[in-house]
Amino acid sequence: MTCTLDAVAPGRTVLLARIDESLAADFREQLAAYGIAPGRSLEVIAQRPMTVVVCDHVELALETAIARALVVREPAPAA
Amino acid sequence: MDPCAAQTLSARPAGPSRSTYILLGAPNVGKSVVFHRLTGTYANVSNYPGTTVEVARAPLRFERESTLLDTPGVLAFPSRSFDERAAMRALLDEGARALVQVADAKHLRRSLAITLTLAEAGLPLVLALNMSDEAAARGVRLDLPALAQALGIDVVPTVATLGEGVGRLGEAMRAARIPRARVHYPPAVEAAIAATAQRIAARIVPLPFAARALAILLLARDPEVEQWLADRDADLARELGASRDAEEAGGERYAAAIAHARAEAAGTLAARVELAAPRPVESRAQRLSRLALHRRWGVPILLAVLYATYLVVGVFGAGTLVDLTEERLFGGLVNPAVTAFVEAHAPWRWLADLLVGPYGLWTMGMTYAIALILPIVTTFFLVFGVLEDSGYFARLSVLANRGFAAMGMNGRAVLPMVLGLGCVTMATLTTRILATRRERLIATFLMALAIPCSAQLGVVLGMLAALGFGWTVAWAAVLVAVLVLAGALAARLIPGRRIALVTELPPLRWPVAGNVVKKTTGRLVWYLREVIPLFLLGTFLMWLMDRIGVLPWLIERGEPLVTGWLGLPKEAAAAFVMGFLRRDFGATGLFALGSALSPAQTLVGMVAITLFVPCIASLMMIVKEQGTRVAALIVAMIVPLAFGIGGLVRLALVALGAWT
């Protein structure tokens, strides 16, 4: 079951499944530089005023347009 | 140009020298502190990504004949931001003897992605794993020998703020080795890299670093490398660009494939050497950080920050301090003494007039710069430094993002806009932190139009406060409306797309007093050196225009507009002419009219004068940053807008029956 990052309730941790192809290349590079890549876990801290996630112990704020391009899924129960 | 920097790239040596070390790293990893430890010179030390806009240079403590370059923060290469482009220029132009990467020991994966990128350059490299105390406190344990072995270079743990490990870092720098680590890209990308590298190496000698790295950067469309190649062999640049474009049209996406492969390689290496990953900790700073963006508490905290700023800058700086310096020190002691001395000794009347007359270099120019502006900008820069060092600006950019989106920018533009309330000239320079030329243009235009600098703000608020709070609110409302409408219009008219905000939120921390004092001092030195000469030039022009009769002529020409359309007394025309040379002079000129103006006339005058063209120093900075054509265009738009909106405010007041 997947959804986009902007729809995840704060407090939950999800895994990045894929980045939508529609996202411009410069943003994909920027996200890669922050370590946001498929398979990474993202803890959602807030959705307002922007999506705030913790990835690799770094807090990042992402505008909704970007968060909407990140397709995420629930982590496996064992994780 | 960074006001705190030791020296900037403008003082670049004539040719490449192999005695230069280049310091590189992500924003917020303590790079500038390492620079200070290694050179004894302060560059820019701050907790906001992107405030070092140029490259600082100073001799090394342990090797005086060699220099160290501090570059702005790099998230990744190919370079995209202004900061990354400056760092890439340093790599291309400086002919470095060795590179020193400063990395945050807590964020190994991200750090190693940069290490692997730098390793491609084939230059000697040292990795300083900074903040290793914080990493240890968070439970991070690293197999450093294994990491050094895998990379083929020295890896030195440091705590730069305490000077720990810096001695060892110096030794490692002198014995720096060429890394052996290498990222393996997908076969199609490797083939393109090999072909491109071969053609570069065959046509250009010498190369600043490995042809392989240049090829990778070209395939990933690094604008600085493209420019570097075009400057040396325009034909080759065109040919390589065309073949890359053709391959990408066939479905290959080099930049994304390269970024992905590097991230994978960094992840694999980090997993191998990380014996224990950092524990998540819920610190007090983290709780406060989250509160600053909280949907209920974020805005009240912002208002409290703004109110505290007003108390320090508006009440203490512009009130108490200016009263001391302008009224008592200059008005009561210094100026009478200087005037008496000049009057007694000046051989010609015009010279005395030039120095201590109504438009005198001392009585008007220096008095204004030292007695009025200096106390205000000092307190402003101090507060700005505290906010910057605490990491609050990153939160502010998130809070302000939606508002700035309406004006075609993102929340990052909040930094220059707030700085503009201190000094628009310096803020114009700071627009360099914005990602695109379009954003820089919009921010520069809006600041020139509707952001009053501290000097002007002081006079305007002083005049409006005497009339009552309602008039101040009306003035602010008009300005905000103009700012938003002009921004929305500029966003539609200036071609290009808006860049969505993706920003790191460094943990909030108590500002370090030393950092704040040093940054404030650096900015003040910059102000004294760069802005005061321009004030003096402005005063001189006023004196000259008065002397040759241009000033009265201009005032006469402007009268119909000022009396007819704005409904102000004819003397107010002089204030606008003065405002052309120095923005706040205009406001001061209206202030001098005092009781001759009704409250409604004061509001109209204050709106028009605030929107009117910025001071001569800001204008020159706009020319420097945006070019003469853009500067002329900005002025050509602002003058009719200022008078047009001033007149509309008058018509609105007439319609409301408030015009007396």
Side-chain angles (χ1 to χ4, degrees):
Chain A
M1 181 66 181
T2 61
C3 66
T4 53
L5 184 65
D6 62 306
V8 177
R12 292 183 57 194
T13 299
V14 289
L15 290 179
L16 182 63
R18 65 183 171 84
I19 300 175
D20 195 89
E21 286 293 308
S22 63
L23 190 66
D26 47 352
F27 286 120
R28 303 170 76 88
E29 282 174 41
Q30 198 181 359
L31 293 177
Y34 280 125
I36 297 187
R40 303 296 303 169
S41 98
L42 305 172
E43 182 193 352
V44 179
I45 303 295
Q47 288 290 4
R48 272 165 199 280
M50 280 168 62
T51 304
V52 178
V53 295
V54 176
C55 175
D56 253 349
H57 310 279
V58 179
E59 261 183 56
L60 295 169
L62 312 167
E63 214 173 292
T64 311
I66 309 283
R68 209 171 278 151
L70 302 183
V71 181
V72 297
R73 61 181 160 80
E74 293 284 326
Chain B
M1 170 177 28
D2 176 65
C4 304
Q7 247 182 299
T8 65
L9 261 189
S10 54
R12 185 181 294 163
S17 83
R18 289 287 167 187
S19 61
T20 303
Y21 294 85
I22 302 182
L23 206 57
L24 293 135
N28 274 315
V29 294
K31 203 158 37 63
S32 298
V33 188
V34 173
F35 179 81
H36 166 66
R37 291 284 175 190
L38 289 170
T39 63
T41 310
Y42 263 98
N44 214 337
V45 192
S46 80
N47 192 24
Y48 183 88
T51 44
T52 313
V53 283
E54 268 196 31
V55 181
R57 180 202 304 274
L60 277 165
R61 265 184 174 155
F62 61 82
E63 202 178 287
R64 299 306 292 183
E65 66 281 10
S66 299
T67 52
L68 181 66
L69 240 73
D70 181 25
T71 59
V74 166
L75 194 58
F77 284 132
S79 58
R80 297 286 182 243
S81 67
F82 203 93
D83 286 354
E84 287 166 358
R85 291 183 67 164
M88 180 51 75
R89 271 202 304 279
L91 280 174
L92 288 166
D93 295 350
E94 292 289 336
R97 169 171 157 185
L99 310 179
V100 184
Q101 185 199 346
V102 183
D104 185 339
K106 300 189 296 293
H107 307 140
L108 196 63
R109 273 171 63 96
R110 275 176 60 188
S111 304
L112 289 179
I114 297 178
T115 314
L116 292 171
T117 306
L118 296 177
E120 283 165 349
L123 295 171
L125 176 67
V126 178
L127 174 59
L129 278 180
N130 198 28
M131 308 186 191
S132 51
D133 56 338
E134 284 179 29
R138 300 256 305 252
V140 177
R141 280 193 303 123
L142 301 175
D143 186 349
L144 292 182
L147 181 59
Q149 170 76 19
L151 292 169
I153 57 171
D154 282 332
V155 178
V156 184
T158 57
V159 184
T161 45
L162 302 175
E164 284 175 19
V166 176
R168 247 195 84 197
L169 180 61
E171 287 164 26
M173 283 164 66
R174 270 179 292 195
R177 289 173 287 154
I178 295 173
R180 82 163 72 90
R182 178 175 162 149
V183 178
H184 296 282
Y185 297 101
V189 181
E190 282 289 352
I193 293 171
T196 310
Q198 200 177 18
R199 292 180 69 183
I200 295 172
R203 296 269 283 265
I204 299 174
V205 180
L207 294 174
F209 47 79
R212 176 179 166 83
L214 289 166
I216 294 168
L217 291 163
L218 270 178
L219 288 172
R221 296 174 190 273
D222 185 299
E224 288 297 328
V225 177
E226 285 178 326
Q227 187 60 49
W228 172 87
L229 184 62
D231 289 345
R232 276 151 194 82
D233 191 333
D235 292 336
L236 181 63
R238 252 193 315 275
E239 289 164 24
L240 291 177
S243 64
R244 175 198 58 203
D245 293 350
E247 284 153 25
E248 290 208 327
E252 191 59 63
R253 294 169 70 166
Y254 289 122
I258 288 164
H260 181 71
R262 280 179 186 156
E264 288 283 303
T268 310
L269 182 55
R272 245 175 65 199
V273 299
E274 210 166 47
L275 304 175
R279 290 188 296 270
V281 281
E282 176 81 359
S283 63
R284 211 170 57 178
Q286 219 164 6
R287 277 197 298 277
L288 190 64
S289 299
R290 303 216 167 135
L291 222 51
L293 283 181
H294 193 270
R295 62 195 167 95
R296 200 165 301 147
W297 293 106
V299 173
I301 289 175
L302 171 65
L303 293 177
V305 167
L306 290 179
Y307 185 65
T309 306
Y310 166 74
L311 285 183
V312 178
V313 182
V315 176
F316 177 69
T320 315
L321 282 184
V322 168
D323 188 49
L324 266 177
T325 52
E326 200 188 21
E327 297 282 319
R328 297 191 194 184
L329 186 64
F330 272 68
L333 292 171
V334 180
N335 284 1
V338 172
T339 306
F341 179 83
V342 172
E343 299 272 352
H345 293 88
W348 306 287
R349 182 67 232 150
W350 65 263
L351 184 64
D353 197 42
L354 173 65
L355 293 174
V356 295
Y359 302 111
L361 291 179
W362 181 267
T363 38
M364 190 188 221
M366 287 306 277
T367 303
Y368 167 82
I370 305 288
L372 179 70
I373 309 271
L374 193 63
I376 304 178
V377 290
T378 305
T379 44
F380 183 85
F381 289 156
L382 211 57
V383 174
F384 193 85
V386 166
L387 292 178
E388 190 176 36
D389 205 60
S390 68
Y392 185 71
F393 274 130
R395 271 93 196 155
L396 190 56
S397 66
V398 170
L399 284 174
N401 189 51
R402 186 171 289 198
F404 280 90
M407 297 185 276
M409 299 177 283
N410 68 39
R412 203 171 283 263
V414 80
L415 186 82
M417 295 292 232
V418 172
L419 189 58
L421 292 171
C423 172
V424 173
T425 311
M426 180 176 281
T428 303
L429 184 75
T430 313
T431 55
R432 288 178 174 193
I433 64 162
L434 304 179
T436 62
R437 187 175 149 69
R438 178 176 181 269
E439 286 177 302
R440 289 195 286 277
L441 188 59
I442 296 177
T444 303
F445 168 65
L446 292 181
M447 282 194 297
L449 177 68
I451 301 285
C453 70
S454 56
Q456 194 184 31
L457 205 57
V459 182
V460 170
L461 290 183
M463 266 187 97
L464 291 170
L467 304 178
F469 189 61
W471 294 100
T472 311
V473 172
W475 169 81
V478 172
L479 280 195
V480 170
V482 169
L483 193 70
V484 173
L485 285 176
L489 214 61
R492 279 172 189 275
L493 294 178
I494 300 173
R497 71 184 169 110
R498 185 187 156 265
I499 304 294
L501 183 64
V502 176
T503 188
E504 187 177 338
L505 300 172
L508 278 182
R509 68 172 187 207
W510 277 116
V512 181
N515 289 353
V516 175
V517 169
K518 272 160 207 125
K519 291 203 78 164
T520 307
T521 314
R523 290 195 165 112
L524 286 174
V525 168
W526 179 87
Y527 166 80
L528 292 171
R529 226 172 30 199
E530 307 274 328
V531 183
I532 286 186
L534 294 176
F535 284 154
L536 292 179
L537 179 68
T539 312
F540 175 72
L541 287 176
M542 292 277 284
W543 175 82
L544 194 66
M545 282 162 67
D546 182 52
R547 194 104 188 147
I548 60 177
V550 176
L551 212 50
W553 180 83
L554 265 179
I555 291 167
E556 204 179 304
R557 297 293 109 176
E559 255 180 42
L561 190 64
V562 172
T563 52
W565 173 244
L566 292 182
L568 299 177
K570 67 179 171 45
E571 291 80 10
F576 281 92
V577 175
M578 289 200 286
F580 194 74
L581 293 175
R582 274 178 14 197
R583 217 179 187 190
D584 69 296
F585 260 23
T588 316
L590 289 180
F591 190 71
L593 291 175
S595 53
L597 298 176
S598 71
Q601 280 179 319
T602 307
L603 176 67
V604 170
M606 289 299 126
V607 165
I609 210 90
T610 313
L611 296 176
F612 201 53
V613 282
C615 74
I616 193 163
S618 313
L619 202 60
M620 286 169 119
M621 189 57 79
I622 297 174
V623 170
K624 186 172 166 235
E625 290 293 301
Q626 298 279 346
T628 315
R629 208 175 61 91
V630 171
L633 204 65
I634 287 180
V635 172
M637 281 159 76
I638 286 177
V639 174
L641 269 176
F643 283 106
I645 292 164
L648 289 178
V649 171
R650 183 181 75 88
L651 293 181
L653 288 167
V654 170
L656 291 169
W659 185 261
T660 47

